[in-house]
Amino acid sequence: MFKNLCAKLYYEQDKPKRIDGNKDNEGFISTLVFSVIHLLWCLSLIEIFKGIAVSRSPSTERKSRANAIDFHTVLKWVIVLFFLVYPRGLAWKVGVGTLAYFLFMNLFSYFYYHLWKYEPPTEIASKPDVFHARTNRRFILFALSFLYSIVGFAAFFRGPWGAELRLFDRSMENAPITDALAASVANAFTFTPGQFVPASHFGYALLTTQVFYSFVFLVVILVVSLPPKS
């Protein structure tokens, strides 16, 4: 459905692909889910960066792809730190939309590349040193992604939505950055002994969203860590 939409702008090797040998086992639900995954993948800014980088330097495909990922990582961190320090630096709705997009795509990319996308065996598996270095890079990117979610929700807490939350009976809106970060860490790991609580249904929904977000990350880690079936 979205092949024409994503035909020229993206890195071909990372595109969602159907397994031809399994099409007879798939019904309309699988087709619908695949279409949604494909659409979300096309809407991911990092995929556009990778496509542009590789098209400009096809002779160094892997390096270009890695640099595009790093550039996107730096960009999204600059954005989230800006909104953490200046929660009203732009119109609040613009800030919310921007942060929500990057937070969602942060989680989607991790889900897509660690659970959804099939990775065929490569020669790297037979090179322990290269495999270890690649694993280190993946861990660094994971740590940055999870920490990004902590900072992103802390930015939400410091903005106008902070009026829906209470920390030691004080509104979180425009709270000190350290308080916002501490509250975000505590809520992500569900360590909330009563000092950080919602003041409304919306505040409760916001805190629940962060817990669910963190839960998905932990589930992905667990699934990836399980040994493959022999």
Side-chain angles (χ1 to χ4, degrees):
M1 182 183 298
F2 303 105
K3 288 183 179 180
N4 293 332
L5 176 65
C6 305
K8 299 180 179 179
L9 197 58
Y10 299 86
Y11 178 50
E12 179 67 28
Q13 298 302 319
D14 285 342
K15 288 182 180 180
K17 295 180 176 63
R18 304 291 291 273
I19 305 301
D20 292 335
N22 192 53
K23 287 185 177 180
D24 291 340
N25 296 323
E26 297 179 356
F28 68 90
I29 293 179
S30 297
T31 301
L32 177 61
V33 171
F34 177 83
S35 297
V36 171
I37 294 294
H38 200 166
L39 176 61
L40 292 175
W41 184 87
C42 288
L43 294 176
S44 180
L45 190 61
I46 188 174
E47 304 303 336
I48 298 176
F49 286 170
K50 287 190 292 185
I52 294 174
V54 172
S55 65
R56 290 172 63 90
S57 302
S59 60
T60 56
E61 181 177 300
R62 287 184 177 273
K63 187 69 173 179
S64 298
R65 181 179 181 274
N67 285 334
I69 293 173
D70 289 351
F71 176 78
H72 178 267
T73 300
V74 171
L75 174 64
K76 71 178 185 180
W77 268 99
V78 169
I79 290 173
V80 77
L81 289 175
F82 173 81
F83 284 111
L84 176 66
V85 177
Y86 304 105
R88 295 179 181 272
L90 296 175
W92 175 239
K93 291 183 179 179
V94 175
V96 167
T98 303
L99 283 179
Y101 168 82
F102 278 104
L103 279 169
F104 178 80
M105 286 303 175
N106 183 55
L107 186 61
F108 171 76
S109 294
Y110 200 77
F111 159 79
Y112 176 77
Y113 284 103
H114 289 80
L115 286 184
W116 185 268
K117 186 174 182 290
Y118 170 68
E119 291 284 358
T122 64
E123 69 279 0
I124 293 179
S126 62
K127 300 177 181 178
D129 54 341
V130 177
F131 181 78
H132 181 72
R134 184 177 181 182
T135 301
N136 287 345
R137 173 175 167 79
R138 290 168 73 96
F139 172 76
I140 292 171
L141 292 176
F142 160 75
L144 288 174
S145 294
F146 188 75
L147 185 59
Y148 185 85
S149 71
I150 298 293
V151 178
F153 277 95
F156 280 148
F157 296 164
R158 291 198 73 227
W161 285 355
E164 312 295 331
L165 305 169
R166 292 289 183 272
L167 180 65
F168 294 106
D169 295 326
R170 297 194 305 270
S171 170
M172 282 294 296
E173 187 174 4
N174 294 321
I177 293 177
T178 52
D179 286 355
L181 290 172
S184 183
V185 171
N187 189 63
F189 292 100
T190 66
F191 180 68
T192 51
Q195 290 84 359
F196 182 50
V197 295
S200 66
H201 291 296
F202 180 81
Y204 182 81
L206 180 60
L207 297 184
T208 302
T209 299
Q210 186 185 18
V211 172
F212 175 77
Y213 193 105
S214 302
F215 173 77
V216 173
F217 256 104
L218 295 177
V219 167
V220 171
I221 294 174
L222 177 62
V223 172
V224 172
S225 300
L226 291 176
K229 294 182 179 180
S230 57

